[in-house]
Amino acid sequence: MSHPNPTEIHLHKQSRVLEISFDDGSKFSYPAEYLRVFSPSAEVQGHGPGQEVLQVGKEEVNIAHIDPVGNYAICLHFDDEHNTGIYSWDTLYQLGLNYERNWQDYLQRLQSAGFERKEPSA
């Protein structure tokens, strides 16, 4: 299957985790903070290579609600009012597959920029 599609999407607001199961059997758990700092929006990604904007202070962010975008994506509305990222199924799948590498890269970029990430409250 070249383009996995979701079979289940569950938002766990209390734990701030979005779980998505795909039709190839994969299942990913995405912390809201991770989805927020890797938003595919131009506000986060910029308009070209090297224009990415490092997101800081997003430890406590949560997903307020989710809107479908056609049959190919969802729009996540975060409680910090960010809602311009359209997360295609492929983007979500890739974010799930590459979670560990992406997250370690993000933590390194924070440290290099002089920011310290605080653990979110339970």
Side-chain angles (χ1 to χ4, degrees):
M1 233 174 257
S2 60
H3 299 285
N5 289 303
T7 56
E8 291 184 69
I9 299 174
H10 294 286
L11 175 58
H12 302 278
K13 283 193 173 190
Q14 189 166 353
S15 61
R16 297 189 292 263
V17 171
L18 180 66
E19 287 184 341
I20 303 179
S21 298
F22 287 88
D23 58 8
D24 69 348
S26 298
K27 182 176 184 178
F28 302 110
S29 294
Y30 309 85
E33 178 186 6
Y34 174 68
L35 291 170
R36 176 61 178 84
V37 302
F38 284 97
S39 171
S41 70
E43 176 185 330
V44 174
Q45 298 300 321
H47 293 281
Q51 295 184 1
E52 300 85 2
V53 178
L54 182 62
Q55 303 296 299
V56 297
K58 302 302 178 186
E59 296 90 344
E60 301 285 341
V61 75
N62 205 350
I63 298 168
H65 68 278
I66 302 169
D67 286 333
V69 178
N71 291 321
Y72 68 94
I74 53 177
C75 178
L76 301 178
H77 295 258
F78 293 92
D79 61 6
D80 68 351
E81 299 188 14
H82 178 73
N83 63 3
T84 58
I86 304 298
Y87 294 77
S88 71
W89 305 142
D90 188 54
T91 294
L92 287 163
Y93 193 82
Q94 292 303 316
L95 284 171
L97 279 180
N98 299 303
Y99 173 80
E100 287 299 327
R101 182 175 43 133
N102 289 344
W103 189 246
Q104 291 308 312
D105 179 59
Y106 172 68
L107 294 176
Q108 182 61 47
R109 287 184 291 138
L110 278 179
Q111 185 178 26
S112 295
F115 293 100
E116 183 177 331
R117 181 181 173 274
K118 295 170 181 51
E119 285 299 317
S121 58

